Amino acid sequence: MFKFASCDGCQLTLLDCEDELLAIAAELDIAHFTEASSDAAPGPYDLALVEGSVSTPEHLDRIRRIRAESRHLVTIGACATAGGIQALRNYADVEEYLATVYAHPEYIATLATSTPISAHVRVDFELRGCPIDRGQLVEVITAFLAGRKPGIPNHSVCFACKRRGTVCVTVAHGTPCLGPVTHAGCGALCPTYGRGCYGCFGPAATTNLPALIPLLHRDGMSSEDTDRFLHTYNVTAFTAVESQEPVATREEGTQ
């Protein structure tokens, strides 16, 4: 387990898997996990789990070394898969931020952008979430132990709401919700408690933002509010989706 620019939440998810890890502990050795132990064995590694975004010059060299030492590399969490909340700086003046926040910005070594791991090295699998779901994490580890593809669904949060029998907060209450365009994995936690989805798990494969944005406006969100709604946990991922051309529908043949 390797950490880059992040809050450590996804690493803590692994530590929360106490009961589940007992079942597979005999099949693996944790060689490097400084959140849990100061012991660190050198590579090569069969499976590297990487949390956090690339945000400093040192990160660039380090992630390349980890990739070279790892048979499989899996990124976990919004920071590692999409740059994280810190990627908001990609759309601002980093030098201005440094001068505002730090008394001596000359001591800070940083990149102008915060980027996902996949922007720099080959990644074998991406596990979404802020933080990730522990059940999905155990599934990924088990899949690589068994030499198979992880069984992580790529549908939207709306599917999870239907499975739980949760009433749609948008249809029933006019609550703005990113569930229709967000990757499932949280168990539809926010809609279950009457709140709209915040997009913690990033865009789903079926993302259709051009269709959702008018609904957000209908439910009282201004254009500025909509931008803030989308540009949080997975700012770069949703921005990439927004930049795509609208897709013609089969039924109507319109955009």
Side-chain angles (χ1 to χ4, degrees), residues 195-207:
R195 302 190 299 266
C197 170
Y198 291 95
C200 303
F201 277 64
T206 54
T207 298

Side-chain angles (χ1 to χ4, degrees), residues 70-172:
S70 305
R71 181 182 178 190
H72 300 292
L73 188 149
V74 172
T75 52
I76 60 173
C79 295
T81 61
I85 294 176
Q86 59 269 29
L88 286 166
R89 78 185 195 202
N90 297 6
Y91 308 95
D93 186 339
V94 173
E95 295 301 322
E96 181 181 354
Y97 276 179
L98 290 174
T100 301
V101 175
Y102 298 99
H104 295 282
E106 65 271 18
Y107 297 137
I108 306 299
T110 187
L111 298 173
T113 58
S114 172
T115 48
I117 301 299
S118 61
H120 306 281
V121 297
R122 178 176 56 85
V123 171
D124 296 296
F125 191 81
E126 293 183 322
L127 187 61
R128 312 282 189 83
C130 186
I132 55 175
D133 175 76
R134 71 178 193 175
Q136 289 192 346
L137 177 60
V138 172
E139 162 59 21
V140 168
I141 295 174
T142 302
F144 277 95
L145 278 173
R148 60 174 175 81
K149 181 180 178 180
I152 304 298
N154 200 21
H155 52 244
S156 71
V157 172
C158 289
F159 280 78
C161 281
K162 297 296 186 293
R163 288 176 175 174
R164 293 187 63 151
T166 300
V167 175
C168 178
V169 296
T170 297
V171 173

Side-chain angles (χ1 to χ4, degrees), residues 24-73:
I24 58 175
E27 303 299 325
L28 55 83
D29 293 316
I30 299 179
H32 186 285
F33 189 6
T34 53
E35 184 78 22
S37 173
S38 59
D39 292 334
Y45 308 105
D46 290 314
L47 176 64
L49 302 177
V50 179
E51 176 197 67
S53 64
V54 173
S55 299
T56 70
E58 185 271 336
H59 286 165
L60 288 170
D61 294 333
R62 186 164 171 252
I63 190 58
R64 289 165 184 155
R65 291 198 304 271
I66 293 171
R67 174 70 269 188
E69 295 178 341
S70 305
R71 181 182 178 190
H72 300 292
L73 188 149

